[in-house]
Structures are given as structure tokens and as C-alpha cells.
Amino acid sequence: MRADRLVSLVLLLRQRGQLTADTLARELEVSTRTVLRDIEALSTAGVPVYAERGRHGGFALSPGFRTELTGLNHDEALALLTAGSGRGELVFGLGSALASAMRKVVDALPESHRASASDAAQRFLVDPQTDLLSRRLVTEEVPDTTMIEVRRAVLAGHKLRIHYAATGQAPRWRSVDPIGLVTVRDRAYLLATRSGADRTYRLSRVLAAEELPEAAERPNRVDLDRIWRERSARFLSGGDHITVLVRVSPARREDLLDSALAVRAEEPGTDGWPRLEVTFQDFRHAEWALWQLGTDAEALAPRSLRTSLRERAVEIAARYGDS
């Protein structure tokens, strides 16, 4: 860990020039005292870092000093910088690692490409926190200590003990065999088995976690994409879920998709309004979602939903009819 931090410190000084100890401490997420010890270690190892005294002082590297890192071409570096420009720091608690990796990517570029790739990456924005309708995307947070334990168990192939708060139940401890981690629309999930049965846990509901020394019972190789598709299909076909056939205005199609659990089929309509077969959590969820769309959507099936929406509209009309 310290070796990685020393490399990151050198890269920060190379890319930004002179920086104060406080700035370095914030960037590296350590104390100022740790930064001063690292500076001393670098000097002892022969890295030409020096201190500037005074009000505008700080630490800097001798001009021309360069670390030896593998080079990348312009497009490779641009791809990595763009991928790291979104909210990747929120994924599986890897924020510090992402920041360190981005510094190494920039430093690995030839001098002639470094500025242009960094400038070009600023022209791309990946997954902003709000959409064009100013709706803020809500990201579920998982404490770092919990995320680290879960991630360690997944990567090491060890059993995991979690304190989990399932919907409508009191939190309780359970031991699972972790398979992998999945993130979907800023929600992270742990795929696991428990006593041989498939289990999917939402990480925001894991209140605490502990990696156990015992080996997890799981295959050596795994196809997470296939497993996720299979579990999603089982989820959508279970419980009180309802499938609805809807015609919707093209301008409100995305609003419909945002409220639905899944889209099973879609085809263009002769009137310009696409027909979609979508799944909702239950009848009440479907009624609420379509009511929000007003006259920009029409439930074609099931008939019970059409009847319920019509009765609701009649009640509203009667309430305001005498004004």
C-alpha cells in the first residue's frame, strides 16, 4: 500500500507541479504527517523532490524528472480517462484506486499526447447525476468498511457473514458463499448462494460484513452476465408482478421505462406511438405509473387496469366538474 502511495505522490507532483503538504494529504487521503514521512522516504531513495519555503511554498520535483511507466497511445488513454470520468468512484468502494489509476494513465502518455488527451476527456461526460429533466439520480451508498469486507471475500473465495436487512424483516446475520458483485443503475448487488440456494443481496441493505477464513463453495470459473440474466428472469416472473401492454407518446417513452421494472417487448405503432409490453411490481405500481403519464399513455391490457384507470378518471372529473 505504501509503495502505491509513493508512486501516486510522485505522479501528482509531476502532473500538477508544486503542491503543499495539505493538498497532497487531501489527494492521497492520508494525514499531513504521513505526507512528510513519504517525502523524506522519496528523498532518501534518490527521487529529486525538494521543498519551497514561504507563504506560497510546497513540494516539487526537479524539472525533467520522469518515472518509467508503460506508454499508452492517445486513444487508449482517452478511453480510460473517459471511463474514469463518470461516477466510477462509487462502484464497489474503489474510489481511491480509480484516482490513482487515472494519475498513472496520464503519466504513461508521451509528453506530446498528455495535454491533448486530458483536454479531450473533459469533452465527454459519462452518467451525470441529473438528466435533462433535472431528475437527480439517487445512488445507494455502502459504508467503506462493509464494502471492503464483501469485496475481499468475493476475490479471495472465502465465505462471508453479513448482517442483512431484508424488506419487511428484522436484520439478522447469515453466512453465504459469495459468487460476484454486480452494479446496475448505481445499485450494487452481491450474488451468492446460501445452503446451495441462489441468493441476491442488495449491498445497501448489508449493515455489516465479515470475511470468514473458510473457503466458499463455488465454481472456479463464473459467467456473471449469464447468472444475472437468469436471476433477473426468475425475479420478473415471481411474486405479484404484472405485465401491461401500453401505447405511449414517444416524448414520454423514457418516463415509462424509468418507472417499469422491465421491458419484455416493443414494436412501433401505426399512429406513431410505440407499443410496449412492460412489467411492474404489482397492480398498484402499474396504476400509479400510468396515471403519472396522463393522456400521454394508454393501457391496452389487462382490462382490469383499464377499468381501474377509467374509474379513477371519472372520480377526478366528478370532483372538479361543478367548479
Side-chain angles (χ1 to χ4, degrees):
M1 289 293 291
R2 191 189 186 196
D4 287 341
R5 191 174 69 243
L6 292 176
V7 170
S8 293
L9 194 157
V10 171
L11 295 180
L12 279 170
L13 294 177
R14 271 189 47 76
Q15 293 161 19
R16 300 195 195 174
Q18 183 173 291
L19 295 172
T20 66
D22 288 342
T23 299
L24 289 168
R26 285 196 303 272
E27 290 288 342
L28 299 173
E29 298 181 356
V30 296
S31 67
T32 303
R33 181 174 297 180
T34 297
V35 168
L36 296 177
R37 285 200 299 264
D38 288 348
I39 293 289
E40 183 178 357
L42 289 172
S43 297
T44 302
V47 176
V49 58
Y50 63 94
E52 287 283 352
R53 306 295 180 184
R55 180 180 177 184
H56 301 292
F59 295 99
L61 293 169
S62 296
F65 175 77
R66 179 167 178 80
T67 53
E68 294 297 328
L69 294 175
T70 302
L72 297 171
N73 66 39
H74 181 275
D75 287 346
E76 289 171 339
L78 179 58
L80 291 173
L81 290 171
T82 300
S85 67
R87 296 196 303 283
E89 72 276 5
L90 302 177
V91 179
F92 306 139
L94 295 173
S96 298
L98 177 65
S100 176
M102 290 302 102
R103 287 192 289 268
K104 293 177 183 178
V105 166
V106 173
D107 196 82
L109 284 172
E111 189 73 36
S112 58
H113 291 167
R114 191 175 304 146
S116 61
S118 296
D119 290 343
Q122 296 177 17
R123 304 291 177 177
F124 300 154
L125 178 60
V126 180
D127 286 338
Q129 292 188 352
T130 58
D131 62 15
L132 283 175
L133 300 179
S134 297
R135 294 172 299 192
R136 187 172 181 84
L137 303 180
V138 179
T139 301
E140 297 183 341
E141 296 186 1
V142 182
D144 288 343
T145 53
T146 299
M147 190 67 253
I148 289 172
E149 287 294 308
V150 173
R151 194 172 68 230
R152 282 177 178 170
V154 169
L155 297 179
H158 289 168
K159 288 183 179 293
L160 180 68
R161 188 166 175 259
I162 58 174
H163 193 212
Y164 191 73
T167 304
Q169 300 180 24
R172 64 187 181 89
W173 286 94
R174 61 198 78 191
S175 294
V176 302
D177 295 296
I179 295 174
L181 294 167
V182 176
T183 178
V184 180
R185 295 183 180 179
D186 293 326
R187 290 180 178 178
Y189 299 89
L190 168 68
L191 305 188
T193 60
R194 184 164 176 259
S195 300
D198 291 344
R199 293 289 185 268
T200 302
Y201 299 102
R202 200 148 139 188
L203 285 181
S204 61
R205 294 175 181 162
V206 177
L207 306 181
E210 178 187 0
E211 178 190 4
L212 302 177
E214 297 90 347
E217 297 178 9
R218 66 181 192 180
N220 292 327
R221 300 185 63 84
V222 65
D223 184 347
L224 280 184
D225 187 56
R226 176 185 59 79
I227 293 174
W228 180 255
R229 288 198 307 269
E230 292 174 351
R231 295 194 181 187
S232 296
R234 289 200 298 269
F235 173 77
L236 292 174
S237 62
D240 297 325
H241 297 165
I242 180 175
T243 299
V244 179
L245 180 61
V246 182
R247 60 183 289 269
V248 62
S249 164
R252 302 298 301 277
R253 177 181 176 277
E254 292 303 317
D255 293 332
L256 173 65
L257 298 187
D258 284 345
S259 61
L261 287 179
V263 178
R264 292 184 173 274
E266 179 175 359
E267 61 181 23
T270 57
D271 56 358
W273 283 28
R275 266 70 169 167
L276 291 89
E277 192 175 315
V278 294
T279 300
F280 292 100
Q281 186 74 42
D282 51 31
F283 188 91
R284 290 182 61 187
H285 179 206
E287 183 182 44
W288 172 86
L290 290 172
W291 184 261
Q292 307 308 306
L293 297 175
T295 58
D296 289 326
E298 179 186 0
L300 302 177
R303 180 171 295 278
S304 58
L305 180 59
R306 288 179 59 86
T307 300
S308 179
L309 288 168
R310 182 177 64 251
E311 292 175 350
R312 188 171 183 178
V314 169
E315 290 178 3
I316 292 292
R319 176 65 57 87
Y320 293 100
D322 296 333
S323 58

